[in-house]
Amino acid sequence: MATIFHIALASEWAAARERGVYTTSTLGRSLAEEGFIHASRADQWPGVRERFYGGVTEPLVLLQIDTDRLDVPVVEEPPAPGVAETFPHLYGPLRVDAVVRALPLPPSLPPDGSTRPERATFSSVFLGEMFAHLLLASVVLLGVVLGIAGGAVAGSPEAMLAGAAVGALVGLATARALYVRRERARTA
């Protein structure tokens, strides 16, 4: 899976989720006007946010797009003539099911109104996701341990094995429920 990113106004992303497709090219420009949807790689989106979305006060989301799920061409191109760096451009509407995550971005300016920008870096988003997934794995592991302990009370190896299996199933079900709840809260 190759991943690319697009910064969107939260309101436009919410409307796209209802329609099933996202058609905003960039801030203030539609796919019809621009001819493609601007995207960026992981190392590029913080700079794009700073340059083009720095003064935006409306809530923003970072769309994480799985290019394997796209049904439109993605072309690496320079954003302007004479620019060496290339960016991914989507030549067609973005289906919402190609977006694997919509991460809320914190405001670009602190609430006190100072001019020091606060940026969500790729590493902070990545570490947050890793921590959340480790917690979910811990829930499964706790279920297994409790199942083994319950089986040990019965005193037979078969009971311990059955307890581990039941604990794993309960842990997986709990972790899945927590994951689904977290994803719904994040994309709402």
Side-chain angles (χ1 to χ4, degrees), residues 75-87:
V75 180
E76 286 282 336
E77 300 174 308
V83 177
E85 183 178 24
T86 63
F87 287 80

Side-chain angles (χ1 to χ4, degrees), residues 91-116:
Y91 278 87
L94 171 61
R95 287 191 348 255
V96 297
D97 64 346
V99 176
V100 293
R101 284 208 174 78
L103 302 167
L105 293 175
S108 61
L109 294 177
D112 64 6
S114 68
T115 58
R116 180 182 52 81

